[in-house]
């Protein structure tokens, strides 16, 4: 099987992303300093994330794979009762193994569906399309190189088939609570009654298990976090000394938030050449880079209710680490 492709993988072109410039300009002037994990996914960051998905401490991918593998038949029954045709719209160009597991099962069952992977990155999409059309030559495939919501807007004009939107991998956990509500409200606006959304949610569990997933023994999460500084050095002509920053992770079982930080290991000054900016750091000063939220069933039910969806399916792995949840519009 091909490499998993991350949902948030960005273009790997040489042009500097203006959103990154703005993020660095404003984020490093805030108190505390912050930079969004949205910018983790340059080519190297995407490569490291793919590796993270295979490390033993990062249980999320394994757990979701187990959920989808054990529940694929029930999912198909939910998606296509009476063998109605459906469009499987995946937000983010698919994270390889898990999506392929579903495509494989649905194809074997001769389900009448079209796979519509949506991604903002042409590279991610091209790779996936080549891979999928080689493995399942008969599969109906309609890739969309677009922003999630533009793609959904257009879908509603195109066909009468039921839409089943996939948003896997706990990507929802990287949204703030308000962003998550906004995201499902926007989905709600664009879908028709009866359409479905399947989301992968990482569930709250023993805090040490979650903490270890973001502080893995191989040090890949550290590399992933530090790569953001490497990217800024390259894209914005900055001089972050990567050896003078470390990875620091917290998990609060009260809020359900795993938070990643970069910590300055000495008092230092960093130049961001392209922004003509000098950034002072004190010893121990942090840059907040990521939130990975963990959910309770009650929070997921509330999210559905607040955004106009009903809960149509709830599937978990044997340890109840992860849930793939079906919302119906
Ligand atoms: C992409 N996202 C769901 C991952 C997560 O678990 O929040 C990104 C990640 N960050 C550190 N490790 C993996």
């Amino acid at each position: 099987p091909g490499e998993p492709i991350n949902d948030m993988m960005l273009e790997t072109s040489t042009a500097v992303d203006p959103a990154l410039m703005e993020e660095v300009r404003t984020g490093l002037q805030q108190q505390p300093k912050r930079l969004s994990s949205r910018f983790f996914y340059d080519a190297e960051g995407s490569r490291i994330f793919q590796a993270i998905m295979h490390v033993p401490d990062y249980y999320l991918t394994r757990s979701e794979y187990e959920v989808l593998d054990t529940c694929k038949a029930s999912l198909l029954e939910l998606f296509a009762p009476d063998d109605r045709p459906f469009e499987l719209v995946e937000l983010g160009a698919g994270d390889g193994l898990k999506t392929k597991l579903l495509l494989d099962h649905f194809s074997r069952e001769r389900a009448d569906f079209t796979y519509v992977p949506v991604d903002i990155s042409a590279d991610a999409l091209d790779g996936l399309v080549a891979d999928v059309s080689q493995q399942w030559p008969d599969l109906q495939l309609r890739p969309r190189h677009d922003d999630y919501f533009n793609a959904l807007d257009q879908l509603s004009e195109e066909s009468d088939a039921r839409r089943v939107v996939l948003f896997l991998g706990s990507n929802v956990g990287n949204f703030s609570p308000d962003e998550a509500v906004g995201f499902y409200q926007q989905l709600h606006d664009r879908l028709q009654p009866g359409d479905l959304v399947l989301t992968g949610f990482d569930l709250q569990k023993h805090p040490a298990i979650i903490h270890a997933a973001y502080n893995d023994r191989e040090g890949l999460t550290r590399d992933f976090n530090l790569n953001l500084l490497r990217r800024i050095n390259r894209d914005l002509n900055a001089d972050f000394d990567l050896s003078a920053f470390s990875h620091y992770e917290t998990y609060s079982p009260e809020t359900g938030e795993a938070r990643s930080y970069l910590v300055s290991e000495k008092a230092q000054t960093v130049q961001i050449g392209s922004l003509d900016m000098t950034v002072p750091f004190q010893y121990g000063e942090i840059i907040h880079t990521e939130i990975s939220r963990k959910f309770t069933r009650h929070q997921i039910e509330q999210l559905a209710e607040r955004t106009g969806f009903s809960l149509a399916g709830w599937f978990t792995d044997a340890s109840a680490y992860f849930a793939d949840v079906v919302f119906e519009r």
Side-chain angles (χ1 to χ4, degrees):
E3 296 282 5
I5 295 166
N6 177 248
D7 303 65
M8 286 181 286
M9 206 186 254
L10 295 173
E11 300 281 1
T12 49
S13 72
T14 45
V16 177
D17 180 355
L20 175 66
M21 292 182 91
E22 197 45 34
E23 181 72 11
V24 173
R25 187 198 313 279
T26 56
L28 294 185
Q29 290 188 66
Q30 285 178 27
Q31 215 43 263
K33 293 180 170 66
R34 47 156 297 139
L35 293 170
S36 167
S37 60
R38 267 189 68 197
F39 300 100
F40 279 173
Y41 303 89
D42 65 351
E44 177 64 2
S46 298
R47 191 196 63 73
I48 302 172
F49 181 60
Q50 286 167 21
I52 287 175
M53 291 196 281
H54 296 279
V55 303
D57 287 325
Y58 193 75
Y59 60 84
L60 287 80
T61 311
R62 254 185 349 267
S63 302
E64 188 171 40
Y65 190 91
E66 181 187 329
V67 179
L68 298 177
D69 196 25
T70 47
C71 303
K72 59 196 178 197
S74 310
L75 286 171
L76 183 57
E77 273 169 37
L78 262 178
F79 295 173
D82 316 323
D83 299 326
R84 266 179 60 193
F86 64 98
E87 286 184 341
L88 194 65
V89 182
E90 179 156 40
L91 303 185
D95 57 353
L97 289 176
K98 283 175 282 160
T99 307
K100 286 178 186 164
L101 185 159
L102 294 181
L103 296 180
D104 189 55
H105 178 71
F106 298 170
S107 301
R108 280 175 203 276
E109 293 297 312
R110 306 195 172 283
D112 181 3
F113 74 107
T114 305
Y115 177 48
V116 186
V118 177
D119 206 287
I120 191 87
S121 158
D123 289 346
L125 208 54
D126 290 349
L128 182 78
V129 166
D131 210 23
V132 165
S133 44
Q134 202 214 344
Q135 278 192 56
W136 297 279
D138 297 332
L139 191 123
Q140 303 179 67
L141 183 62
R142 205 147 37 78
R144 284 252 170 216
H145 175 210
D146 211 338
D147 162 78
Y148 296 169
F149 294 116
N150 279 339
L152 284 170
D153 279 341
Q154 302 205 349
L155 286 178
S156 17
E157 292 155 17
E158 275 169 8
S159 110
D160 304 325
R162 174 188 228 180
R163 274 141 215 121
V164 178
V165 176
L166 300 184
F167 193 50
L168 302 179
S170 190
N171 286 316
V172 64
N174 299 129
F175 290 154
S176 71
D178 286 348
E179 284 169 343
V181 168
F183 177 77
Y184 287 95
Q185 280 170 340
Q186 295 205 54
L187 281 178
H188 187 273
D189 289 349
R190 287 164 173 84
L191 296 174
Q192 311 282 342
D195 287 348
L196 304 176
V197 183
L198 174 69
T199 309
F201 290 94
D202 193 19
L203 299 177
Q204 293 187 12
K205 61 187 67 63
H206 194 301
I209 296 172
I210 295 172
H211 188 260
Y214 294 89
N215 211 23
D216 62 289
R217 281 161 283 186
E218 281 83 351
L220 285 176
T221 317
R222 175 200 61 215
D223 296 347
F224 187 50
N225 201 5
L226 280 166
N227 180 60
L228 182 55
L229 301 183
R230 183 178 293 116
R231 177 181 186 179
I232 294 170
N233 281 349
R234 184 193 62 221
D235 289 1
L236 301 182
N237 189 25
D239 66 355
F240 279 103
D241 172 4
L242 268 62
S243 69
F245 286 86
S246 59
H247 168 71
Y248 184 75
E249 187 70 28
T250 62
Y251 174 67
S252 160
E254 290 181 296
T255 62
E257 283 178 359
R259 287 175 163 254
S260 295
Y261 302 93
L262 292 161
V263 183
S264 176
E265 290 299 335
K266 61 180 190 191
Q268 55 184 322
T269 309
V270 174
Q271 306 294 332
I272 319 279
S274 304
L275 295 174
D276 219 354
M277 190 175 161
T278 303
V279 188
F281 285 89
Q282 291 171 5
Y283 168 65
E285 191 173 347
I286 54 134
I287 308 173
H288 173 233
T289 52
E290 187 181 49
I291 293 181
S292 300
R293 216 147 55 93
K294 312 302 164 192
F295 295 80
T296 62
R297 179 164 179 147
H298 179 66
Q299 288 170 337
I300 295 167
E301 286 169 351
Q302 277 189 322
L303 180 60
E305 200 179 306
R306 284 185 62 189
T307 55
F309 287 95
S310 60
L311 204 86
W314 175 275
F315 303 96
T316 61
D317 55 308
S319 323
Y321 279 9
F322 201 96
D324 280 281
V325 183
V326 182
F327 288 180
E328 178 166 353
R329 158 79 157 86

